[in-house]
């Protein structure tokens, strides 16, 4: 049973409720986790709960998260699909500078292959955010996306996606190669990507929101808390359920290093929000 139902990434079928592995590494997404056994247990439980979509990157750690995924789950079940991203790296000061040159992108793809223990990557997202979270970088996507398209043609990547991009950059990328998903910041209060989400739904491209609960004002948090009490759920469960009901092309990748929190997130896929709760939540973005 796939939590939340399923969507397709190209020819790959994945659960709408996925799992984001970023938080499995140490503080600041740097180094090993404080409890390696717990990290392994979370990954294994996610698969046991029916999650078939894991989001990761080799610059988480760096390398740590992918190594944990390999230790926990390799050889991978046929139904499990791992989506990774390239386009950034970690600097010695724990920053996130862009890494969009041909050499950097090629190296990143090979790093992901090696540390995940794969011969081919299911999906690789090209990430375009800047060092300080600038969204999106006002540059042409053509050159870096062409590099990934070449690696796809070489058989190292099955499908390509995008992260931290504008509608214009999506259009530019699709002129080069098919795009199977777009990953941008989006939640019940941060609706800046409403237009892009709807445009992607119209052409059957999944949208993968990250930061599903964060950046809320105290007033917005109060409304969310009230809605959660009315449906006997947690605020995070309500935020995730709202996303699943917002559009049928949404895939979720909430992350956690806690087995209990993981179970709460997956349970949100079964939460149906009534019309009055949806109406109150929609006001948060106004």
């Amino acid at each position: 049973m796939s939590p939340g139902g399923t969507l397709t990434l190209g020819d790959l079928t994945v659960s709408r409720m996925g799992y984001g592995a970023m938080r499995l590494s140490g503080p600041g997404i740097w180094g090993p986790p404080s409890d390696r056994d717990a990290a392994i247990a979370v990954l294994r439980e996610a698969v046991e709960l029916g999650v078939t979509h894991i989001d990761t990157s080799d610059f988480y750690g760096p390398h740590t998260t992918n190594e944990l995924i390999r230790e926990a789950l390799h050889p991978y079940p046929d139904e499990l699909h791992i989506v990774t991203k390239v386009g950034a790296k970690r600097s010695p000061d724990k920053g996130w500078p862009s890494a969009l040159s041909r050499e950097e992108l090629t190296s990143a793809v090979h790093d992901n292959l090696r540390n995940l223990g794969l011969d081919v990557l299911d999906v690789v997202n090209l990430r375009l955010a800047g060092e300080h979270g600038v969204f999106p970088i006002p540059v042409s996507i053509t050159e870096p996306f062409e590099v990934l398209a070449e690696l796809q043609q070489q058989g190292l990547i099955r499908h390509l996606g995008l992260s931290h991009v504008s509608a214009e950059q999506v259009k530019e990328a699709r002129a080069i190669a098919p795009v199977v998903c777009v990953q941008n910041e989006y939640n019940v209060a941060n609706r800046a990507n409403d237009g892009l989400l709807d445009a992607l739904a119209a052409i059957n491209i999944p949208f993968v929101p990250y930061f599903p609960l964060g950046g809320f004002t105290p007033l917005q948090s109060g409304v969310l808390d009230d809605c959660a009490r009315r449906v006997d759920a947690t605020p995070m469960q309500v935020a995730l359920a709202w996303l699943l009901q917002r559009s049928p092309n949404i895939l979720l990748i909430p992350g956690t290093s806690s087995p209990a929190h993981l179970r709460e997130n997956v349970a949100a896929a079964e939460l149906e929000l009534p019309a009055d709760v949806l109406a109150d939540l929609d006001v948060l973005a106004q």
Side-chain angles (χ1 to χ4, degrees):
M1 186 74 175
S2 297
T6 61
L7 273 179
T8 57
L9 299 171
D11 60 351
L12 309 175
T13 299
V14 299
S15 56
R16 290 189 69 201
M17 178 63 76
Y19 173 71
M22 181 175 73
R23 298 291 175 187
L24 290 182
S25 52
I29 324 301
W30 187 271
S34 57
D35 189 337
R36 189 177 188 89
D37 289 342
I40 297 294
V42 166
L43 285 163
R44 289 176 176 166
E45 183 158 359
V47 173
E48 290 171 3
L49 291 171
V51 169
T52 60
H53 171 204
I54 293 179
D55 179 85
T56 186
S57 176
D58 206 59
F59 54 66
Y60 295 160
H63 314 308
T64 305
T65 298
N66 279 355
E67 291 169 351
L68 286 167
I69 292 171
R70 180 175 183 174
E71 180 179 343
L73 302 175
H74 194 277
Y76 304 110
D78 290 342
E79 66 273 15
L80 179 64
H81 300 295
I82 299 174
V83 178
T84 189
K85 62 185 71 64
V86 297
K89 60 185 177 183
R90 301 306 302 277
S91 56
D93 64 354
K94 301 183 182 179
W96 303 77
S98 296
L100 296 169
S101 71
R102 173 176 292 274
E103 294 74 17
E104 289 169 322
L105 292 171
T106 302
S107 176
V109 167
H110 283 280
D111 285 346
N112 278 278
L113 287 166
R114 180 180 63 255
N115 290 319
L116 288 169
L118 291 168
D119 296 321
V120 57
L121 298 170
D122 283 335
V123 183
V124 174
N125 289 326
L126 177 63
R127 177 187 188 271
L128 283 191
E131 168 72 7
H132 301 293
V134 177
F135 162 76
I137 298 177
V139 298
S140 169
I141 203 172
T142 296
E143 186 172 343
F145 203 68
E146 283 180 342
V147 173
L148 294 186
E150 290 174 15
L151 294 171
Q152 181 184 37
Q153 291 167 5
Q154 293 170 22
L156 300 180
I157 303 170
R158 287 193 175 90
H159 302 290
L160 300 177
L162 300 168
S163 178
H164 292 273
V165 290
S166 66
E168 184 57 36
Q169 288 166 333
V170 174
K171 180 180 179 181
E172 189 178 352
R174 293 184 69 224
I176 298 166
V179 171
V180 301
C181 59
V182 174
Q183 185 181 113
N184 276 5
E185 183 174 354
Y186 187 80
N187 60 45
V188 66
N190 179 355
R191 305 277 291 276
N193 278 294
D194 263 338
L196 178 58
L197 167 58
D198 291 336
L200 293 172
I203 54 177
N204 297 315
I205 294 179
F207 182 90
V208 187
Y210 66 87
F211 207 34
L213 185 65
F216 291 3
T217 67
L219 178 60
Q220 290 168 332
S221 294
V223 172
L224 189 62
D225 289 345
D226 176 66
C227 290
R229 284 190 293 268
R230 285 152 56 190
V231 296
D232 192 25
T234 68
M236 174 60 104
Q237 287 178 317
V238 170
L240 294 174
W242 179 87
L243 285 165
L244 286 173
Q245 289 179 234
R246 165 63 179 86
S247 179
N249 72 318
I250 282 184
L251 289 171
L252 298 185
I253 52 167
T256 180
S257 57
S258 160
H261 190 195
L262 170 69
R263 290 190 289 272
E264 283 186 4
N265 290 344
V266 172
E270 304 305 317
L271 180 61
E272 188 76 19
L273 300 178
D276 62 316
V277 169
L278 290 173
D280 288 346
L281 292 173
D282 281 339
V283 175
L284 293 183
Q286 298 177 5

